[in-house]
Amino acid sequence: GLEPGPCLRGDWLPASGYAAGRQLLADGDLPTAVFVANDQMCQGLLRAFAETGVRCPDDVSLVGFDDFLGTDQYTPPLTTVRQDFSLLGEVCVEMLLAQISGGPTPARSLVPELVIRKSTAPPR
């Protein structure tokens, strides 16, 4: 029953996460949680929050995607969605080879894993 908040665009780099964080803060109504498309942009978002005194997860929860190397060392350690990129590559190659050979496309599912760390908490 929750309505999603604004969808801000980024370029996968920390600077765009920082810009998005500044925009969220400028809008004045801080959400209770933010899901970011990758962990590197979360790094920038955390910086924007820290510079303005917004505490993660006390004021806002933050979840990234990738489980990028080092996200367990962020302050706070980042809750993230881990994707098996080696398996993703294998599945993509299998699908491509099936398409090239004219055979049926294999049906495989990829199940990401939620890695809960310290950047999330119950809503305030």
Side-chain angles (χ1 to χ4, degrees):
L2 294 176
E3 290 296 318
C7 180
L8 306 176
R9 305 257 180 232
D11 63 6
W12 307 104
L13 298 175
S16 68
Y18 179 80
R22 298 298 297 189
Q23 184 175 344
L24 278 173
L25 293 162
D27 291 345
D29 189 22
L30 193 63
T32 59
V34 178
F35 177 77
V36 182
N38 81 338
D39 294 340
Q40 288 187 357
M41 288 191 298
C42 282
Q43 186 178 29
L45 194 68
L46 280 168
R47 180 176 154 225
F49 287 168
E51 286 179 357
T52 56
V54 172
R55 298 164 303 151
C56 182
D58 298 332
D59 299 319
V60 61
S61 288
L62 185 60
V63 178
F65 193 93
D66 290 336
D67 199 20
F68 188 75
L69 181 65
T71 54
D72 59 335
Q73 300 301 310
Y74 287 10
T75 302
L78 184 65
T79 295
T80 188
V81 178
R82 179 181 295 149
Q83 176 94 301
D84 184 340
F85 287 103
S86 294
L87 180 59
L88 176 62
E90 289 176 26
V91 169
C92 289
V93 169
E94 285 176 12
M95 293 176 76
L96 178 62
L97 291 174
Q99 295 245 332
I100 289 171
S101 70
T105 302
R108 301 232 352 230
S109 62
L110 301 173
V111 180
E113 174 190 358
L114 179 62
V115 180
I116 299 172
R117 294 192 180 114
K118 300 291 185 187
S119 67
T120 53
R124 59 182 188 279

